[in-house]
Amino acid sequence: MHFEQQVALAHQELTRYGIQSSNSHPISFQLLHWSGLQAPLPHYGHFKTNFSIFTAWYSLIFAIIFILAEIISDTPISLISAIFTSLFAGLTAGISMATYYYYSAKRLNLSPWHQLK
């Protein structure tokens, strides 16, 4: 089965359970799919995979925010402080999102990714 077909079937299953597309296919995964990486949707992904993807995504977002704040503000922001804060925020968001998707998939009793046919 092709990856696009699995994504379509996953969307159908999630829609049956009332999960909106913005929740089932967040922008971080849209960017991964657009770049050619075939990661399962977060409801169907492993906890570690979701944790890694969301941590990287949110760390990047927070780093961009700190760069913009450095450009806009009059007071300089310590580079080390910005890096550690971005990583901490990314880790916190990553663990939160991975936990949400893990328990959401368990609560809804979703089909495993490899069984979507």
Side-chain angles (χ1 to χ4, degrees):
M1 175 178 291
H2 295 297
F3 178 74
E4 294 81 20
Q5 292 172 324
Q6 281 184 302
V7 170
L9 291 171
H11 276 296
Q12 289 175 0
E13 184 175 38
L14 291 167
T15 301
R16 277 197 311 267
Y17 288 111
I19 303 293
Q20 296 180 358
S21 177
S22 60
N23 187 344
S24 66
H25 203 177
I27 192 166
S28 52
F29 281 79
Q30 290 177 21
L31 291 173
L32 286 176
H33 296 164
W34 177 76
S35 69
L37 296 173
Q38 297 184 347
L41 296 180
H43 281 92
Y44 297 91
H46 294 288
F47 183 86
K48 290 179 184 178
T49 303
N50 286 341
F51 172 73
S52 300
I53 291 169
F54 284 116
T55 297
W57 173 251
Y58 284 107
S59 294
L60 177 66
I61 295 295
F62 282 106
I64 290 169
I65 290 170
F66 277 113
I67 290 169
L68 292 174
E70 175 69 27
I71 292 169
I72 294 170
S73 75
D74 293 336
T75 56
I77 298 171
S78 165
L79 180 62
I80 297 298
S81 174
I83 290 171
F84 281 126
T85 304
S86 295
L87 286 174
F88 179 74
L91 288 168
T92 303
I95 195 83
S96 299
M97 297 298 289
T99 302
Y100 164 76
Y101 281 110
Y102 176 80
Y103 284 111
S104 178
K106 292 291 182 193
R107 180 178 48 87
L108 298 173
N109 198 24
L110 297 175
S111 306
W113 180 254
H114 64 280
Q115 290 182 358
L116 290 173
K117 297 178 182 177

